[in-house]
């Protein structure tokens, strides 16, 4: 289950086949299996999207998911193999892809912490057509995060993903992104809309 920049299929494809997304400063090595997802479905999860830390790819804050937060987070479910999920997660965790994650704990309990770093907490957030819905985020949640505003290139890829997956227009997108923790107080709907124009 993807949120943030991975709502944009071309961005996710860089984690599968390798490459550098538009506006990013670094490339991804890709997955052992570069095949595209077998199916995609736009959906949403209860919780909060927030920006924290510092992205090596985009600069500024990265998007994270807090399932305990209020509101709703637009998401996109991609049907991928265990190996592909493992390699995508490894790249998000700033690790080298190439080994399958042990998903036993997250499938059994709904949560598994592989470390305290970025995207090192696996969550099972539901099921779709007999397949578990898995995602990854930071263990701390928004309350314990070092909030940091996203950069203009990151906002543009987030907006492209929201338009592609959910059909959101620029003003709805700007209003949503500007009010997320980490962006709020730094960005306004008007300044985000100007970046997206």
């Amino acid at each position: 289950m993807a949120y943030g920049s991975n709502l944009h299929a071309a961005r996710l494809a860089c984690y599968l086949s390798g490459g550098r997304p538009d506006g990013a400063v670094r490339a991804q090595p890709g997955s052992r299996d570069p095949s595209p997802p077998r199916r995609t479905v736009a959906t949403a999860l209860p919780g909060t999207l927030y920006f924290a830390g510092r992205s090596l790819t985009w600069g500024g804050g990265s998007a994270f998911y807090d399932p305990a937060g209020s509101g709703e987070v637009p998401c996109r479910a991609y049907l991928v193999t265990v190996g592909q999920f493992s390699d995508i997660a490894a790249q998000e965790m700033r690790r080298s892809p190439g080994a399958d994650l042990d998903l036993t704990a997250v499938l059994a309990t709904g949560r598994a912490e592989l470390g305290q770093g970025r995207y090192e907490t696996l969550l099972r957030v539901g099921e779709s057509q007999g397949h578990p819905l898995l995602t990854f985020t930071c263990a701390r949640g928004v309350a314990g995060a070092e909030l940091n505003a996203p950069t203009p290139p990151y906002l543009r890829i987030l907006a492209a993903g929201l338009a592609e997956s959910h059909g959101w227009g620029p003003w709805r997108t700007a209003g949503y992104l500007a009010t997320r923790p980490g962006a709020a107080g730094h960005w306004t709907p008007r300044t985000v809309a100007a970046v997206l124009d």
Side-chain angles (χ1 to χ4, degrees):
M1 180 76 80
Y3 58 90
S5 64
N6 287 329
L7 289 176
H8 195 255
R11 196 280 178 269
L12 184 85
C14 293
Y15 284 131
L16 294 173
S17 57
R20 183 175 62 85
D22 287 344
V25 298
R26 63 192 286 261
Q28 301 298 333
S31 172
R32 290 164 285 171
D33 177 0
S35 303
R38 289 180 280 171
R39 188 167 64 247
T40 67
V41 178
T43 185
L45 289 174
T48 299
L49 181 84
Y50 66 95
F51 298 100
R54 181 162 183 82
S55 171
L56 298 179
T57 302
W58 305 100
S62 297
F64 294 94
Y65 169 61
D66 185 348
S70 61
E72 192 172 76
V73 178
C75 298
R76 195 173 195 178
Y78 293 98
L79 182 57
V80 295
T81 68
V82 170
Q84 287 177 314
F85 177 80
S86 298
D87 287 347
I88 293 166
Q91 291 168 87
E92 288 279 26
M93 294 176 197
R94 298 180 181 162
R95 301 178 183 181
S96 296
D100 286 356
L101 293 172
D102 182 354
L103 302 178
T104 306
V106 69
L107 292 174
T109 68
R111 184 181 181 100
E113 293 187 13
L114 307 180
Q116 291 299 306
R118 46 181 281 122
Y119 303 116
E120 292 187 353
T121 296
L122 304 180
L123 300 175
R124 181 175 182 168
V125 293
E127 186 173 299
S128 177
Q129 298 183 3
H131 300 286
L133 295 173
L134 302 178
T135 194
F136 35 79
T137 190
C138 182
R140 291 182 296 275
V142 67
E146 294 181 11
L147 298 177
N148 191 19
T151 61
Y154 194 48
L155 289 172
R156 284 191 283 272
I157 199 78
L158 293 169
L162 286 165
E164 179 183 278
S165 63
H166 287 72
W168 284 19
W171 280 104
R172 182 177 183 183
T173 297
Y176 175 75
L177 294 176
T179 56
R180 300 306 87 203
H186 181 85
W187 290 100
T188 68
R190 185 172 297 278
T191 58
V192 171
V195 162
L196 304 183
D197 187 15

